[in-house]
Amino acid sequence: MGTIYRGGSRGALAGLRRPHLHPVPSVADRLNAERHELAGAACTAADPEVFFDGTQDATDVAKRICGGCPVRARCLWLALEHGEAFGIFGGLTADERRRLRRKGVSAA
Ligand code: SF4
């Protein structure tokens, strides 16, 4: 089965907007590639699956990695800007980002 990729090219994380359209390895590969564009990203050598797994153990691992990341603010900004609905970005889960947005926090 070929890779289904329908993401736009608006920004660094644009391809992650509808990850349910991607086979999981492709999402992970793309996530890894996009995150590498953030120079100095702490997740460069991490398994990208932990950022999408959704289990508590994986979430804890991902958050620990993000916690020491020098580009965390930029990563979170990109996720908010692009309305990323899945995965952990900038140390926050999708639910945590939604709560931020409900409080009026945005990338703008
Ligand atoms: S904040 Fe987390 S997901 Fe974002 S670049 Fe840093 S380590 Fe990767």
Side-chain angles (χ1 to χ4, degrees), residues 12-88:
L13 303 179
L16 300 175
R17 301 183 130 222
R18 287 164 284 172
H20 54 285
L21 295 176
H22 302 255
V24 171
S26 294
V27 173
D29 289 347
R30 182 155 180 82
L31 173 67
N32 216 19
E34 304 290 3
R35 283 182 169 141
H36 289 190
E37 290 178 12
L38 293 169
C43 54
T44 300
D47 176 0
E49 293 293 339
V50 299
F51 294 88
F52 282 104
D53 186 295
T55 62
Q56 191 60 54
D57 284 351
T59 298
D60 290 346
V61 169
K63 285 185 166 226
R64 255 196 314 276
I65 294 169
C66 293
C69 181
V71 294
R72 183 176 175 178
R74 172 72 179 153
C75 179
L76 178 57
W77 185 88
L78 285 169
L80 291 171
E81 182 184 37
H82 295 289
E84 298 297 344
F86 302 94
I88 295 172

